Amino acid sequence: MFTQQNNILDINTAASIALQTVPGSIVELELDNFHGRPVYEVEILSVYGKYEIIIDAFTGAVLRIELD
């Protein structure tokens, strides 16, 4: 699916980045494709609601935070 698999962050690192961004409980975490780039999509349930966080799977940069 993605080329450069060795350079992709592991799932635990993605979870840690997401929880540092929005504290709460992870309800879903998956590797996906966002505009042709591998990303982790993380859904977190916080005291303010459910957030979707998109994390670049190569760099760990948070690309988007959205409150559902």
Side-chain angles (χ1 to χ4, degrees):
M1 181 155 100
F2 303 116
T3 56
Q4 307 180 351
Q5 284 288 333
N6 295 342
N7 296 330
I8 291 177
L9 299 173
D10 66 76
I11 199 164
N12 293 325
T13 302
S16 178
I17 291 167
L19 289 171
Q20 288 174 18
T21 305
V22 177
S25 299
I26 294 176
V27 293
E28 186 174 338
L29 193 159
E30 65 183 5
L31 186 61
D32 203 354
N33 185 334
F34 182 71
H35 299 293
R37 189 156 177 94
V39 295
Y40 283 103
E41 288 187 5
V42 187
E43 288 186 9
I44 295 179
L45 187 58
S46 79
V47 295
Y48 301 106
K50 189 171 165 188
Y51 285 84
E52 179 182 67
I53 301 169
I54 306 290
I55 299 170
D56 186 296
F58 289 134
T59 66
V62 175
L63 302 176
R64 184 173 73 187
I65 303 169
E66 190 174 288
L67 178 61
D68 286 341

